[in-house]
Amino acid sequence: MVEDNEIYRFMSIYEFYELFFNKKLKLTKVNIQSDKNDGIESILNNLVSGISPTEYFSLKKSFDSSRKCRYITCWTQSFDSIAMWLLYSKNEESIRVKTRLSKLKETLLNFTEDYSCWTQWNRPTENMVLIQGMESIQEVEYKNIREVIEQIRRDISEFKKKNSQTFEIDPNYYKGKFIEDYFTFYDYLSNKYTCKAPIKDESYSFEQEVRGEVYAGLKVDEKSENDWKSKNDVERIPVKDDLSDILGSVIYAPVNDDFIEEVCFDPRMPAYKREVIFALFNLEQIKITESPIFEPALPLLSE
């Protein structure tokens, strides 16, 4: 992705109010997204690394836990799309905002720096912290998720079956070649299935999503950085464990004044509503674009 690329987000009037007036970009916790597979790439990556257990309930617990500390803001590379208007403007009152990839990147970098878990002791009244280095902006990859899971399950099952058969032939297998075979297999599995970007089911491919993401946690109990360091390993990240339920559903990242480059009203919005919004928000200083996507094309022949 080129940093100067234009990206778009369809948002409600309420979200636009926060962005336009309060200069705050909403990020939503993954576990409240309508897509219940959002965030599954982290679990698949653990699974194919050979670290996580394959039992369903262990994976389910890990999946649910990871979704409670990840916050995302979803944008699209598609300039205009009937599918996006229909999905994200069901009341025909949403607004499409344009910014640039570089501005979103700057916003998330500044946000994680300002709320870093490593400087939490400088903010005694705030409970939430962010993990620096975990923020990212990536293009979403679209796959048949159920098919991928079935392929992984089948490969692991076949590997276990082969191990069992080899052991029956050679009882000393586990004392000799098993470790080498184990790592060879999981290297193969990792190279084949590791997700280097967020993934969604291919049925969402029309979104052409660009996803910004940050990782959040709760500040630790120690009253100073020195207290925390004296009780913990130096490589441990200073956030509380297993308290992600307390984190709010949304958080807001401050944006610069020039973050919004242009806006577009839902083309189905009645003129009187548009006029009210235009007046209330004082949008004279913002470029307004029009979407002809719901208009008939035939009249163009008479021009």
Side-chain angles (χ1 to χ4, degrees):
M1 292 185 295
V2 180
E3 287 203 355
D4 208 38
N5 278 2
E6 298 170 347
I7 53 176
Y8 306 87
R9 177 167 172 79
F10 295 76
M11 60 183 64
S12 70
I13 294 172
Y14 308 103
E15 183 178 343
F16 179 71
Y17 176 89
E18 290 287 357
L19 185 62
F20 182 77
F21 275 117
N22 297 329
K23 302 295 186 290
K24 296 193 305 183
L25 173 66
K26 184 178 78 170
L27 291 96
T28 307
K29 192 153 58 170
V30 170
N31 74 326
I32 69 168
Q33 298 293 319
S34 58
D35 180 6
K36 301 309 177 186
N37 290 313
D38 258 331
I40 199 170
E41 63 276 357
S42 64
I43 304 305
L44 295 182
N45 287 344
N46 281 335
L47 181 60
V48 301
S49 70
I51 297 175
S52 292
T54 57
E55 290 82 359
Y56 170 76
F57 289 108
S58 295
L59 285 174
K60 177 71 164 58
K61 182 178 180 181
S62 178
F63 179 51
D64 291 342
S65 178
S66 72
R67 283 161 51 91
K68 292 175 182 177
C69 62
R70 299 168 64 183
Y71 289 83
I72 59 177
T73 174
C74 303
W75 296 73
T76 177
Q77 300 177 78
S78 176
F79 168 70
D80 218 3
S81 164
I82 283 183
M84 295 292 282
W85 283 118
L86 292 175
L87 184 60
Y88 295 109
S89 186
K90 294 178 181 177
N91 60 0
E92 302 182 1
E93 294 179 351
S94 291
I95 294 173
R96 188 189 70 211
V97 170
K98 180 184 114 176
T99 190
R100 294 188 183 270
L101 197 63
S102 56
K103 293 181 180 180
L104 180 59
K105 181 178 181 180
E106 181 183 13
T107 294
L108 297 187
L109 284 173
N110 290 340
F111 189 37
T112 54
E113 181 178 347
D114 292 343
Y115 286 85
S116 170
C117 59
W118 298 105
T119 58
Q120 60 184 281
W121 296 280
N122 299 333
R123 304 183 300 277
T125 61
E126 295 170 351
N127 203 28
M128 184 206 73
V129 296
L130 299 176
I131 302 175
Q132 276 184 282
M134 297 290 283
E135 73 280 351
S136 66
I137 300 175
Q138 295 177 288
E139 292 184 49
V140 169
E141 294 182 3
Y142 299 95
K143 301 180 180 181
N144 186 326
I145 293 177
R146 290 161 183 82
E147 183 177 292
V148 171
I149 291 174
E150 175 57 26
Q151 289 173 343
I152 294 173
R153 188 200 64 78
R154 187 169 55 248
D155 282 352
I156 293 175
S157 177
E158 290 176 356
F159 176 69
K160 289 181 175 179
K161 182 179 179 181
K162 178 183 176 182
N163 282 338
S164 177
Q165 292 171 342
T166 303
F167 178 72
E168 290 178 3
I169 298 172
D170 179 9
N172 293 318
Y173 171 63
Y174 286 104
K175 296 180 181 179
K177 198 169 179 292
F178 169 72
I179 296 298
E180 179 183 342
D181 287 350
Y182 177 87
F183 283 111
T184 299
F185 169 71
Y186 274 100
D187 281 346
Y188 152 79
L189 210 63
S190 179
N191 290 333
K192 184 176 181 181
Y193 296 113
T194 292
C195 306
K196 297 181 180 179
I199 65 171
K200 296 188 73 170
D201 192 78
E202 59 189 8
S203 58
Y204 288 92
S205 60
F206 67 89
E207 292 181 343
Q208 300 184 46
E209 183 180 335
V210 173
R211 176 173 297 184
E213 182 170 354
V214 299
Y215 281 69
L218 297 174
K219 66 191 303 182
V220 296
D221 293 326
E222 287 80 5
K223 300 302 181 183
S224 71
E225 184 177 4
N226 288 335
D227 287 343
W228 181 81
K229 287 182 176 179
S230 67
K231 301 175 184 178
N232 295 275
D233 185 276
V234 293
E235 294 185 357
R236 187 179 179 190
I237 297 174
V239 295
K240 282 187 178 179
D241 296 326
D242 301 323
L243 291 176
S244 52
D245 277 329
I246 302 174
L247 293 170
S249 298
V250 299
I251 55 178
Y252 290 92
V255 300
N256 293 329
D257 291 342
D258 65 346
F259 185 82
I260 301 174
E261 294 196 353
E262 66 179 37
V263 300
C264 176
F265 294 102
D266 186 316
R268 299 164 296 172
M269 184 186 295
Y272 76 91
K273 288 187 178 181
R274 176 193 289 227
E275 291 170 3
V276 169
I277 294 172
F278 198 91
L280 284 175
F281 283 70
N282 189 23
L283 295 178
E284 283 82 0
Q285 69 271 36
I286 294 291
K287 181 180 179 182
I288 306 296
T289 60
E290 303 291 337
S291 170
I293 204 160
F294 290 98
E295 296 295 327
L298 193 59
L300 294 174
L301 294 173
S302 63
E303 294 182 356

